[in-house]
Amino acid sequence: MDNFLLCDRDLPPALLERYMQAEAIAVDTETMGLKPGRDRLCLVQLCDGDGYVTALRIELGQGDAPNLKALMEAEAVTKIFHFARFDIAALKYQLGIQTAPFFCTKIASKLARTYSGSHGLKSLVKELAGVELDKSAQSSDWGNVMALSEEQLAYAANDVRYLIGLRQQLTAMLKREGRWELAEQCFCCLPTVVELDLRQFDNVFEH
Ligand code: MN
């Protein structure tokens, strides 16, 4: 694959330095399942504005990644996710990372694209980037990180490749519709939602 680098345990210092210069980077994770307290983090993918993707393999039992943490917590770099609620919980639970600041394309889509009921990454990329994503590797075994297939790595890379463009388009739509501040407020309260998820509270706002 072009513009793709695999690395282990943590970001190499040169790459950290490069990403620290970016205004925003796209981030996604692959895990063993959907429960951060049960299902371990396997892969963290990063992509900057040049479309260069780095995939970081997380080892079994690994509890920290200092360079990744420095980037994810850097005030000057906005981290862009699709469904940030999940990835931020996984990064926090497994690596002790408090991701900030961030942008979530799923929240932005729900607030901006009220004409659609489809807010999955596949639908968003199709409508806004005109690209058909192949999601067939989504539910695969990410646990054997040293032996991931070409198909899995291509899938993992594509999950971050379009997020920077999506953020630009969704931000423009949100501003046009007078919903940008509401989106910012949603991003502000997401860390609380993540903490509630990790402590296994369901919906504390319900009657
Ligand atoms: Mn993914």
Side-chain angles (χ1 to χ4, degrees), residues 68-107:
L68 180 67
K69 181 179 169 75
L71 177 65
M72 300 305 288
E73 297 182 356
E75 281 284 331
V77 185
T78 297
K79 275 64 69 173
I80 308 168
F81 299 88
H82 185 76
F83 198 45
R85 180 176 175 177
F86 176 75
D87 301 292
I88 288 175
L91 290 166
K92 185 175 187 180
Y93 186 82
Q94 181 126 7
L95 300 174
I97 292 172
Q98 309 263 15
T99 304
F102 62 86
F103 181 100
C104 176
T105 54
K106 188 166 194 140
I107 291 172

PDB file of all heavy atoms in Angstrom, residues 68-107:
ATOM      1  N   LEU A  68       1.943   8.699  21.526  1.00  0.00           N
ATOM      2  CA  LEU A  68       0.547   8.781  21.073  1.00  0.00           C
ATOM      3  C   LEU A  68      -0.260   9.636  22.043  1.00  0.00           C
ATOM      4  O   LEU A  68      -1.057  10.484  21.629  1.00  0.00           O
ATOM      5  CB  LEU A  68      -0.063   7.381  20.968  1.00  0.00           C
ATOM      6  CG  LEU A  68      -1.519   7.336  20.513  1.00  0.00           C
ATOM      7  CD1 LEU A  68      -1.654   7.789  19.054  1.00  0.00           C
ATOM      8  CD2 LEU A  68      -2.113   5.945  20.684  1.00  0.00           C
ATOM      9  N   LYS A  69      -0.023   9.459  23.327  1.00  0.00           N
ATOM     10  CA  LYS A  69      -0.727  10.239  24.354  1.00  0.00           C
ATOM     11  C   LYS A  69      -0.436  11.741  24.195  1.00  0.00           C
ATOM     12  O   LYS A  69      -1.344  12.563  24.246  1.00  0.00           O
ATOM     13  CB  LYS A  69      -0.300   9.756  25.747  1.00  0.00           C
ATOM     14  CG  LYS A  69      -0.969  10.468  26.915  1.00  0.00           C
ATOM     15  CD  LYS A  69      -0.483   9.868  28.236  1.00  0.00           C
ATOM     16  CE  LYS A  69      -0.892  10.677  29.456  1.00  0.00           C
ATOM     17  NZ  LYS A  69      -2.310  10.534  29.809  1.00  0.00           N
ATOM     18  N   ALA A  70       0.834  12.065  23.941  1.00  0.00           N
ATOM     19  CA  ALA A  70       1.208  13.478  23.772  1.00  0.00           C
ATOM     20  C   ALA A  70       0.453  14.094  22.600  1.00  0.00           C
ATOM     21  O   ALA A  70      -0.039  15.234  22.682  1.00  0.00           O
ATOM     22  CB  ALA A  70       2.719  13.590  23.552  1.00  0.00           C
ATOM     23  N   LEU A  71       0.324  13.341  21.514  1.00  0.00           N
ATOM     24  CA  LEU A  71      -0.390  13.840  20.343  1.00  0.00           C
ATOM     25  C   LEU A  71      -1.892  13.957  20.613  1.00  0.00           C
ATOM     26  O   LEU A  71      -2.517  14.980  20.299  1.00  0.00           O
ATOM     27  CB  LEU A  71      -0.147  12.891  19.153  1.00  0.00           C
ATOM     28  CG  LEU A  71      -0.886  13.231  17.877  1.00  0.00           C
ATOM     29  CD1 LEU A  71      -0.398  14.567  17.298  1.00  0.00           C
ATOM     30  CD2 LEU A  71      -0.702  12.124  16.839  1.00  0.00           C
ATOM     31  N   MET A  72      -2.460  12.916  21.203  1.00  0.00           N
ATOM     32  CA  MET A  72      -3.906  12.913  21.413  1.00  0.00           C
ATOM     33  C   MET A  72      -4.344  13.969  22.426  1.00  0.00           C
ATOM     34  O   MET A  72      -5.484  14.415  22.406  1.00  0.00           O
ATOM     35  CB  MET A  72      -4.370  11.520  21.885  1.00  0.00           C
ATOM     36  CG  MET A  72      -4.085  10.398  20.913  1.00  0.00           C
ATOM     37  SD  MET A  72      -4.742  10.670  19.268  1.00  0.00           S
ATOM     38  CE  MET A  72      -6.465  10.436  19.593  1.00  0.00           C
ATOM     39  N   GLU A  73      -3.426  14.359  23.305  1.00  0.00           N
ATOM     40  CA  GLU A  73      -3.763  15.372  24.314  1.00  0.00           C
ATOM     41  C   GLU A  73      -3.270  16.764  23.931  1.00  0.00           C
ATOM     42  O   GLU A  73      -3.482  17.725  24.680  1.00  0.00           O
ATOM     43  CB  GLU A  73      -3.205  14.923  25.687  1.00  0.00           C
ATOM     44  CG  GLU A  73      -3.855  13.623  26.162  1.00  0.00           C
ATOM     45  CD  GLU A  73      -3.393  13.149  27.538  1.00  0.00           C
ATOM     46  OE1 GLU A  73      -2.493  13.790  28.122  1.00  0.00           O
ATOM     47  OE2 GLU A  73      -3.951  12.140  28.027  1.00  0.00           O
ATOM     48  N   ALA A  74      -2.626  16.893  22.762  1.00  0.00           N
ATOM     49  CA  ALA A  74      -2.071  18.190  22.340  1.00  0.00           C
ATOM     50  C   ALA A  74      -3.190  19.185  22.021  1.00  0.00           C
ATOM     51  O   ALA A  74      -4.042  18.927  21.163  1.00  0.00           O
ATOM     52  CB  ALA A  74      -1.163  18.006  21.125  1.00  0.00           C
ATOM     53  N   GLU A  75      -3.164  20.318  22.710  1.00  0.00           N
ATOM     54  CA  GLU A  75      -4.179  21.371  22.559  1.00  0.00           C
ATOM     55  C   GLU A  75      -4.300  21.904  21.135  1.00  0.00           C
ATOM     56  O   GLU A  75      -5.371  22.303  20.697  1.00  0.00           O
ATOM     57  CB  GLU A  75      -3.803  22.551  23.476  1.00  0.00           C
ATOM     58  CG  GLU A  75      -4.166  22.348  24.931  1.00  0.00           C
ATOM     59  CD  GLU A  75      -5.657  22.526  25.175  1.00  0.00           C
ATOM     60  OE1 GLU A  75      -6.295  23.294  24.421  1.00  0.00           O
ATOM     61  OE2 GLU A  75      -6.181  21.878  26.091  1.00  0.00           O
ATOM     62  N   ALA A  76      -3.186  21.948  20.409  1.00  0.00           N
ATOM     63  CA  ALA A  76      -3.167  22.611  19.107  1.00  0.00           C
ATOM     64  C   ALA A  76      -3.572  21.698  17.947  1.00  0.00           C
ATOM     65  O   ALA A  76      -3.696  22.149  16.815  1.00  0.00           O
ATOM     66  CB  ALA A  76      -1.771  23.188  18.837  1.00  0.00           C
ATOM     67  N   VAL A  77      -3.773  20.416  18.241  1.00  0.00           N
ATOM     68  CA  VAL A  77      -4.101  19.464  17.173  1.00  0.00           C
ATOM     69  C   VAL A  77      -5.493  18.875  17.418  1.00  0.00           C
ATOM     70  O   VAL A  77      -5.710  18.167  18.403  1.00  0.00           O
ATOM     71  CB  VAL A  77      -3.069  18.312  17.095  1.00  0.00           C
ATOM     72  CG1 VAL A  77      -3.351  17.411  15.901  1.00  0.00           C
ATOM     73  CG2 VAL A  77      -1.642  18.846  17.065  1.00  0.00           C
ATOM     74  N   THR A  78      -6.429  19.156  16.526  1.00  0.00           N
ATOM     75  CA  THR A  78      -7.776  18.591  16.653  1.00  0.00           C
ATOM     76  C   THR A  78      -7.781  17.166  16.106  1.00  0.00           C
ATOM     77  O   THR A  78      -7.310  16.918  14.999  1.00  0.00           O
ATOM     78  CB  THR A  78      -8.798  19.443  15.864  1.00  0.00           C
ATOM     79  OG1 THR A  78      -8.820  20.752  16.444  1.00  0.00           O
ATOM     80  CG2 THR A  78     -10.192  18.838  15.934  1.00  0.00           C
ATOM     81  N   LYS A  79      -8.286  16.244  16.909  1.00  0.00           N
ATOM     82  CA  LYS A  79      -8.354  14.854  16.504  1.00  0.00           C
ATOM     83  C   LYS A  79      -9.750  14.575  15.938  1.00  0.00           C
ATOM     84  O   LYS A  79     -10.755  14.813  16.616  1.00  0.00           O
ATOM     85  CB  LYS A  79      -8.086  13.938  17.704  1.00  0.00           C
ATOM     86  CG  LYS A  79      -6.614  13.676  17.993  1.00  0.00           C
ATOM     87  CD  LYS A  79      -5.775  14.878  18.398  1.00  0.00           C
ATOM     88  CE  LYS A  79      -6.139  15.403  19.770  1.00  0.00           C
ATOM     89  NZ  LYS A  79      -5.197  16.482  20.251  1.00  0.00           N
ATOM     90  N   ILE A  80      -9.817  14.092  14.715  1.00  0.00           N
ATOM     91  CA  ILE A  80     -11.106  13.864  14.052  1.00  0.00           C
ATOM     92  C   ILE A  80     -11.437  12.369  14.050  1.00  0.00           C
ATOM     93  O   ILE A  80     -10.633  11.544  13.590  1.00  0.00           O
ATOM     94  CB  ILE A  80     -11.071  14.365  12.593  1.00  0.00           C
ATOM     95  CG1 ILE A  80     -10.567  15.803  12.540  1.00  0.00           C
ATOM     96  CG2 ILE A  80     -12.440  14.235  11.944  1.00  0.00           C
ATOM     97  CD1 ILE A  80     -10.223  16.257  11.118  1.00  0.00           C
ATOM     98  N   PHE A  81     -12.619  12.035  14.575  1.00  0.00           N
ATOM     99  CA  PHE A  81     -13.070  10.643  14.633  1.00  0.00           C
ATOM    100  C   PHE A  81     -14.433  10.509  13.952  1.00  0.00           C
ATOM    101  O   PHE A  81     -15.169  11.493  13.845  1.00  0.00           O
ATOM    102  CB  PHE A  81     -13.306  10.208  16.082  1.00  0.00           C
ATOM    103  CG  PHE A  81     -12.123  10.244  16.989  1.00  0.00           C
ATOM    104  CD1 PHE A  81     -11.794  11.405  17.676  1.00  0.00           C
ATOM    105  CD2 PHE A  81     -11.356   9.110  17.199  1.00  0.00           C
ATOM    106  CE1 PHE A  81     -10.717  11.436  18.547  1.00  0.00           C
ATOM    107  CE2 PHE A  81     -10.278   9.134  18.070  1.00  0.00           C
ATOM    108  CZ  PHE A  81      -9.957  10.298  18.750  1.00  0.00           C
ATOM    109  N   HIS A  82     -14.781   9.292  13.593  1.00  0.00           N
ATOM    110  CA  HIS A  82     -16.174   8.992  13.289  1.00  0.00           C
ATOM    111  C   HIS A  82     -16.678   8.122  14.433  1.00  0.00           C
ATOM    112  O   HIS A  82     -16.190   7.001  14.620  1.00  0.00           O
ATOM    113  CB  HIS A  82     -16.323   8.263  11.953  1.00  0.00           C
ATOM    114  CG  HIS A  82     -17.770   8.064  11.604  1.00  0.00           C
ATOM    115  ND1 HIS A  82     -18.557   9.093  11.131  1.00  0.00           N
ATOM    116  CD2 HIS A  82     -18.580   6.993  11.731  1.00  0.00           C
ATOM    117  CE1 HIS A  82     -19.787   8.651  10.960  1.00  0.00           C
ATOM    118  NE2 HIS A  82     -19.833   7.380  11.326  1.00  0.00           N
ATOM    119  N   PHE A  83     -17.629   8.623  15.197  1.00  0.00           N
ATOM    120  CA  PHE A  83     -18.104   8.028  16.457  1.00  0.00           C
ATOM    121  C   PHE A  83     -16.988   8.061  17.504  1.00  0.00           C
ATOM    122  O   PHE A  83     -16.495   7.029  17.981  1.00  0.00           O
ATOM    123  CB  PHE A  83     -18.639   6.603  16.268  1.00  0.00           C
ATOM    124  CG  PHE A  83     -19.512   6.145  17.420  1.00  0.00           C
ATOM    125  CD1 PHE A  83     -20.480   6.984  17.948  1.00  0.00           C
ATOM    126  CD2 PHE A  83     -19.365   4.897  17.982  1.00  0.00           C
ATOM    127  CE1 PHE A  83     -21.281   6.579  19.018  1.00  0.00           C
ATOM    128  CE2 PHE A  83     -20.152   4.473  19.048  1.00  0.00           C
ATOM    129  CZ  PHE A  83     -21.105   5.321  19.566  1.00  0.00           C
ATOM    130  N   ALA A  84     -16.626   9.280  17.859  1.00  0.00           N
ATOM    131  CA  ALA A  84     -15.558   9.540  18.835  1.00  0.00           C
ATOM    132  C   ALA A  84     -15.841   8.884  20.190  1.00  0.00           C
ATOM    133  O   ALA A  84     -14.914   8.511  20.904  1.00  0.00           O
ATOM    134  CB  ALA A  84     -15.400  11.050  19.017  1.00  0.00           C
ATOM    135  N   ARG A  85     -17.106   8.756  20.523  1.00  0.00           N
ATOM    136  CA  ARG A  85     -17.491   8.186  21.818  1.00  0.00           C
ATOM    137  C   ARG A  85     -16.812   6.839  22.063  1.00  0.00           C
ATOM    138  O   ARG A  85     -16.344   6.551  23.165  1.00  0.00           O
ATOM    139  CB  ARG A  85     -19.022   8.038  21.838  1.00  0.00           C
ATOM    140  CG  ARG A  85     -19.588   7.467  23.114  1.00  0.00           C
ATOM    141  CD  ARG A  85     -21.110   7.471  23.026  1.00  0.00           C
ATOM    142  NE  ARG A  85     -21.742   6.840  24.170  1.00  0.00           N
ATOM    143  CZ  ARG A  85     -23.060   6.766  24.356  1.00  0.00           C
ATOM    144  NH1 ARG A  85     -23.877   7.308  23.446  1.00  0.00           N
ATOM    145  NH2 ARG A  85     -23.573   6.178  25.409  1.00  0.00           N
ATOM    146  N   PHE A  86     -16.763   6.030  21.043  1.00  0.00           N
ATOM    147  CA  PHE A  86     -16.152   4.708  21.192  1.00  0.00           C
ATOM    148  C   PHE A  86     -14.620   4.770  21.242  1.00  0.00           C
ATOM    149  O   PHE A  86     -13.994   4.220  22.157  1.00  0.00           O
ATOM    150  CB  PHE A  86     -16.597   3.780  20.050  1.00  0.00           C
ATOM    151  CG  PHE A  86     -15.924   2.443  20.119  1.00  0.00           C
ATOM    152  CD1 PHE A  86     -16.326   1.513  21.058  1.00  0.00           C
ATOM    153  CD2 PHE A  86     -14.855   2.146  19.295  1.00  0.00           C
ATOM    154  CE1 PHE A  86     -15.674   0.289  21.160  1.00  0.00           C
ATOM    155  CE2 PHE A  86     -14.200   0.923  19.392  1.00  0.00           C
ATOM    156  CZ  PHE A  86     -14.617  -0.009  20.326  1.00  0.00           C
ATOM    157  N   ASP A  87     -14.016   5.450  20.267  1.00  0.00           N
ATOM    158  CA  ASP A  87     -12.548   5.474  20.182  1.00  0.00           C
ATOM    159  C   ASP A  87     -11.927   6.161  21.397  1.00  0.00           C
ATOM    160  O   ASP A  87     -10.890   5.723  21.910  1.00  0.00           O
ATOM    161  CB  ASP A  87     -12.112   6.196  18.899  1.00  0.00           C
ATOM    162  CG  ASP A  87     -12.658   5.509  17.660  1.00  0.00           C
ATOM    163  OD1 ASP A  87     -12.233   4.389  17.368  1.00  0.00           O
ATOM    164  OD2 ASP A  87     -13.533   6.088  17.002  1.00  0.00           O
ATOM    165  N   ILE A  88     -12.555   7.240  21.858  1.00  0.00           N
ATOM    166  CA  ILE A  88     -12.017   7.970  23.008  1.00  0.00           C
ATOM    167  C   ILE A  88     -12.089   7.096  24.268  1.00  0.00           C
ATOM    168  O   ILE A  88     -11.167   7.092  25.085  1.00  0.00           O
ATOM    169  CB  ILE A  88     -12.759   9.321  23.179  1.00  0.00           C
ATOM    170  CG1 ILE A  88     -12.315  10.279  22.057  1.00  0.00           C
ATOM    171  CG2 ILE A  88     -12.483   9.936  24.545  1.00  0.00           C
ATOM    172  CD1 ILE A  88     -13.049  11.611  22.040  1.00  0.00           C
ATOM    173  N   ALA A  89     -13.165   6.317  24.385  1.00  0.00           N
ATOM    174  CA  ALA A  89     -13.275   5.388  25.527  1.00  0.00           C
ATOM    175  C   ALA A  89     -12.191   4.313  25.451  1.00  0.00           C
ATOM    176  O   ALA A  89     -11.546   3.999  26.456  1.00  0.00           O
ATOM    177  CB  ALA A  89     -14.660   4.750  25.548  1.00  0.00           C
ATOM    178  N   ALA A  90     -11.979   3.764  24.273  1.00  0.00           N
ATOM    179  CA  ALA A  90     -10.974   2.700  24.114  1.00  0.00           C
ATOM    180  C   ALA A  90      -9.574   3.230  24.434  1.00  0.00           C
ATOM    181  O   ALA A  90      -8.787   2.570  25.131  1.00  0.00           O
ATOM    182  CB  ALA A  90     -11.020   2.136  22.689  1.00  0.00           C
ATOM    183  N   LEU A  91      -9.261   4.424  23.944  1.00  0.00           N
ATOM    184  CA  LEU A  91      -7.938   5.018  24.187  1.00  0.00           C
ATOM    185  C   LEU A  91      -7.748   5.344  25.672  1.00  0.00           C
ATOM    186  O   LEU A  91      -6.669   5.198  26.224  1.00  0.00           O
ATOM    187  CB  LEU A  91      -7.765   6.290  23.341  1.00  0.00           C
ATOM    188  CG  LEU A  91      -7.632   6.047  21.830  1.00  0.00           C
ATOM    189  CD1 LEU A  91      -7.824   7.352  21.062  1.00  0.00           C
ATOM    190  CD2 LEU A  91      -6.270   5.436  21.496  1.00  0.00           C
ATOM    191  N   LYS A  92      -8.829   5.782  26.301  1.00  0.00           N
ATOM    192  CA  LYS A  92      -8.754   6.126  27.719  1.00  0.00           C
ATOM    193  C   LYS A  92      -8.601   4.877  28.579  1.00  0.00           C
ATOM    194  O   LYS A  92      -7.757   4.810  29.463  1.00  0.00           O
ATOM    195  CB  LYS A  92     -10.022   6.898  28.125  1.00  0.00           C
ATOM    196  CG  LYS A  92     -10.004   7.412  29.552  1.00  0.00           C
ATOM    197  CD  LYS A  92     -11.224   8.268  29.848  1.00  0.00           C
ATOM    198  CE  LYS A  92     -11.105   8.911  31.221  1.00  0.00           C
ATOM    199  NZ  LYS A  92     -12.276   9.741  31.536  1.00  0.00           N
ATOM    200  N   TYR A  93      -9.429   3.888  28.291  1.00  0.00           N
ATOM    201  CA  TYR A  93      -9.419   2.683  29.107  1.00  0.00           C
ATOM    202  C   TYR A  93      -8.088   1.948  29.008  1.00  0.00           C
ATOM    203  O   TYR A  93      -7.508   1.530  29.995  1.00  0.00           O
ATOM    204  CB  TYR A  93     -10.557   1.740  28.695  1.00  0.00           C
ATOM    205  CG  TYR A  93     -10.673   0.552  29.614  1.00  0.00           C
ATOM    206  CD1 TYR A  93     -11.354   0.666  30.819  1.00  0.00           C
ATOM    207  CD2 TYR A  93     -10.055  -0.656  29.303  1.00  0.00           C
ATOM    208  CE1 TYR A  93     -11.444  -0.404  31.693  1.00  0.00           C
ATOM    209  CE2 TYR A  93     -10.128  -1.734  30.171  1.00  0.00           C
ATOM    210  CZ  TYR A  93     -10.827  -1.601  31.360  1.00  0.00           C
ATOM    211  OH  TYR A  93     -10.903  -2.661  32.228  1.00  0.00           O
ATOM    212  N   GLN A  94      -7.611   1.792  27.774  1.00  0.00           N
ATOM    213  CA  GLN A  94      -6.428   0.937  27.582  1.00  0.00           C
ATOM    214  C   GLN A  94      -5.096   1.669  27.757  1.00  0.00           C
ATOM    215  O   GLN A  94      -4.135   1.104  28.247  1.00  0.00           O
ATOM    216  CB  GLN A  94      -6.479   0.322  26.194  1.00  0.00           C
ATOM    217  CG  GLN A  94      -5.305  -0.586  25.936  1.00  0.00           C
ATOM    218  CD  GLN A  94      -5.731  -1.960  25.498  1.00  0.00           C
ATOM    219  OE1 GLN A  94      -6.896  -2.226  25.251  1.00  0.00           O
ATOM    220  NE2 GLN A  94      -4.775  -2.853  25.391  1.00  0.00           N
ATOM    221  N   LEU A  95      -5.051   2.936  27.313  1.00  0.00           N
ATOM    222  CA  LEU A  95      -3.755   3.630  27.297  1.00  0.00           C
ATOM    223  C   LEU A  95      -3.733   4.869  28.201  1.00  0.00           C
ATOM    224  O   LEU A  95      -2.742   5.603  28.209  1.00  0.00           O
ATOM    225  CB  LEU A  95      -3.395   4.016  25.848  1.00  0.00           C
ATOM    226  CG  LEU A  95      -3.270   2.840  24.856  1.00  0.00           C
ATOM    227  CD1 LEU A  95      -3.054   3.359  23.445  1.00  0.00           C
ATOM    228  CD2 LEU A  95      -2.134   1.894  25.250  1.00  0.00           C
ATOM    229  N   GLY A  96      -4.807   5.111  28.944  1.00  0.00           N
ATOM    230  CA  GLY A  96      -4.854   6.245  29.859  1.00  0.00           C
ATOM    231  C   GLY A  96      -4.795   7.592  29.155  1.00  0.00           C
ATOM    232  O   GLY A  96      -4.294   8.569  29.718  1.00  0.00           O
ATOM    233  N   ILE A  97      -5.316   7.654  27.928  1.00  0.00           N
ATOM    234  CA  ILE A  97      -5.250   8.887  27.128  1.00  0.00           C
ATOM    235  C   ILE A  97      -6.550   9.676  27.268  1.00  0.00           C
ATOM    236  O   ILE A  97      -7.647   9.124  27.117  1.00  0.00           O
ATOM    237  CB  ILE A  97      -5.000   8.529  25.636  1.00  0.00           C
ATOM    238  CG1 ILE A  97      -3.584   7.954  25.474  1.00  0.00           C
ATOM    239  CG2 ILE A  97      -5.216   9.739  24.734  1.00  0.00           C
ATOM    240  CD1 ILE A  97      -3.305   7.387  24.091  1.00  0.00           C
ATOM    241  N   GLN A  98      -6.425  10.984  27.555  1.00  0.00           N
ATOM    242  CA  GLN A  98      -7.587  11.876  27.645  1.00  0.00           C
ATOM    243  C   GLN A  98      -7.622  12.729  26.377  1.00  0.00           C
ATOM    244  O   GLN A  98      -7.082  13.835  26.351  1.00  0.00           O
ATOM    245  CB  GLN A  98      -7.456  12.816  28.847  1.00  0.00           C
ATOM    246  CG  GLN A  98      -7.133  12.119  30.155  1.00  0.00           C
ATOM    247  CD  GLN A  98      -8.365  11.863  31.003  1.00  0.00           C
ATOM    248  OE1 GLN A  98      -9.495  11.951  30.527  1.00  0.00           O
ATOM    249  NE2 GLN A  98      -8.152  11.537  32.261  1.00  0.00           N
ATOM    250  N   THR A  99      -8.216  12.216  25.327  1.00  0.00           N
ATOM    251  CA  THR A  99      -8.192  12.866  24.012  1.00  0.00           C
ATOM    252  C   THR A  99      -8.872  14.242  24.023  1.00  0.00           C
ATOM    253  O   THR A  99     -10.013  14.370  24.456  1.00  0.00           O
ATOM    254  CB  THR A  99      -8.909  11.975  22.973  1.00  0.00           C
ATOM    255  OG1 THR A  99      -8.290  10.698  22.973  1.00  0.00           O
ATOM    256  CG2 THR A  99      -8.840  12.590  21.586  1.00  0.00           C
ATOM    257  N   ALA A 100      -8.168  15.253  23.545  1.00  0.00           N
ATOM    258  CA  ALA A 100      -8.737  16.605  23.430  1.00  0.00           C
ATOM    259  C   ALA A 100      -7.768  17.495  22.641  1.00  0.00           C
ATOM    260  O   ALA A 100      -6.558  17.312  22.789  1.00  0.00           O
ATOM    261  CB  ALA A 100      -8.970  17.219  24.811  1.00  0.00           C
ATOM    262  N   PRO A 101      -8.245  18.448  21.864  1.00  0.00           N
ATOM    263  CA  PRO A 101      -9.634  18.604  21.452  1.00  0.00           C
ATOM    264  C   PRO A 101      -9.964  17.619  20.323  1.00  0.00           C
ATOM    265  O   PRO A 101      -9.069  17.035  19.738  1.00  0.00           O
ATOM    266  CB  PRO A 101      -9.669  20.049  20.946  1.00  0.00           C
ATOM    267  CG  PRO A 101      -8.283  20.308  20.448  1.00  0.00           C
ATOM    268  CD  PRO A 101      -7.369  19.481  21.296  1.00  0.00           C
ATOM    269  N   PHE A 102     -11.249  17.447  20.050  1.00  0.00           N
ATOM    270  CA  PHE A 102     -11.620  16.495  18.995  1.00  0.00           C
ATOM    271  C   PHE A 102     -12.865  16.966  18.249  1.00  0.00           C
ATOM    272  O   PHE A 102     -13.576  17.891  18.685  1.00  0.00           O
ATOM    273  CB  PHE A 102     -11.861  15.103  19.597  1.00  0.00           C
ATOM    274  CG  PHE A 102     -12.986  15.073  20.572  1.00  0.00           C
ATOM    275  CD1 PHE A 102     -14.284  14.883  20.145  1.00  0.00           C
ATOM    276  CD2 PHE A 102     -12.757  15.287  21.919  1.00  0.00           C
ATOM    277  CE1 PHE A 102     -15.336  14.907  21.044  1.00  0.00           C
ATOM    278  CE2 PHE A 102     -13.801  15.303  22.831  1.00  0.00           C
ATOM    279  CZ  PHE A 102     -15.086  15.110  22.382  1.00  0.00           C
ATOM    280  N   PHE A 103     -13.127  16.317  17.136  1.00  0.00           N
ATOM    281  CA  PHE A 103     -14.305  16.562  16.293  1.00  0.00           C
ATOM    282  C   PHE A 103     -14.862  15.191  15.959  1.00  0.00           C
ATOM    283  O   PHE A 103     -14.108  14.270  15.640  1.00  0.00           O
ATOM    284  CB  PHE A 103     -13.860  17.282  15.013  1.00  0.00           C
ATOM    285  CG  PHE A 103     -14.980  17.616  14.053  1.00  0.00           C
ATOM    286  CD1 PHE A 103     -15.515  18.903  14.002  1.00  0.00           C
ATOM    287  CD2 PHE A 103     -15.494  16.654  13.185  1.00  0.00           C
ATOM    288  CE1 PHE A 103     -16.539  19.222  13.109  1.00  0.00           C
ATOM    289  CE2 PHE A 103     -16.527  16.968  12.296  1.00  0.00           C
ATOM    290  CZ  PHE A 103     -17.039  18.261  12.256  1.00  0.00           C
ATOM    291  N   CYS A 104     -16.196  15.044  16.031  1.00  0.00           N
ATOM    292  CA  CYS A 104     -16.808  13.753  15.674  1.00  0.00           C
ATOM    293  C   CYS A 104     -17.677  13.928  14.441  1.00  0.00           C
ATOM    294  O   CYS A 104     -18.666  14.672  14.454  1.00  0.00           O
ATOM    295  CB  CYS A 104     -17.633  13.214  16.835  1.00  0.00           C
ATOM    296  SG  CYS A 104     -18.517  11.689  16.410  1.00  0.00           S
ATOM    297  N   THR A 105     -17.330  13.203  13.368  1.00  0.00           N
ATOM    298  CA  THR A 105     -18.097  13.345  12.121  1.00  0.00           C
ATOM    299  C   THR A 105     -19.490  12.721  12.236  1.00  0.00           C
ATOM    300  O   THR A 105     -20.393  13.094  11.487  1.00  0.00           O
ATOM    301  CB  THR A 105     -17.341  12.718  10.927  1.00  0.00           C
ATOM    302  OG1 THR A 105     -17.012  11.364  11.241  1.00  0.00           O
ATOM    303  CG2 THR A 105     -16.073  13.483  10.599  1.00  0.00           C
ATOM    304  N   LYS A 106     -19.672  11.786  13.176  1.00  0.00           N
ATOM    305  CA  LYS A 106     -21.000  11.186  13.327  1.00  0.00           C
ATOM    306  C   LYS A 106     -21.958  12.171  14.012  1.00  0.00           C
ATOM    307  O   LYS A 106     -23.091  12.360  13.563  1.00  0.00           O
ATOM    308  CB  LYS A 106     -20.926   9.881  14.115  1.00  0.00           C
ATOM    309  CG  LYS A 106     -22.239   9.131  14.129  1.00  0.00           C
ATOM    310  CD  LYS A 106     -22.070   7.708  14.609  1.00  0.00           C
ATOM    311  CE  LYS A 106     -23.312   6.902  14.285  1.00  0.00           C
ATOM    312  NZ  LYS A 106     -23.010   5.545  13.829  1.00  0.00           N
ATOM    313  N   ILE A 107     -21.493  12.804  15.092  1.00  0.00           N
ATOM    314  CA  ILE A 107     -22.320  13.825  15.746  1.00  0.00           C
ATOM    315  C   ILE A 107     -22.602  14.960  14.758  1.00  0.00           C
ATOM    316  O   ILE A 107     -23.745  15.423  14.626  1.00  0.00           O
ATOM    317  CB  ILE A 107     -21.617  14.383  17.010  1.00  0.00           C
ATOM    318  CG1 ILE A 107     -21.561  13.301  18.103  1.00  0.00           C
ATOM    319  CG2 ILE A 107     -22.342  15.632  17.531  1.00  0.00           C
ATOM    320  CD1 ILE A 107     -20.719  13.686  19.325  1.00  0.00           C
TER     321      ILE A 107
END
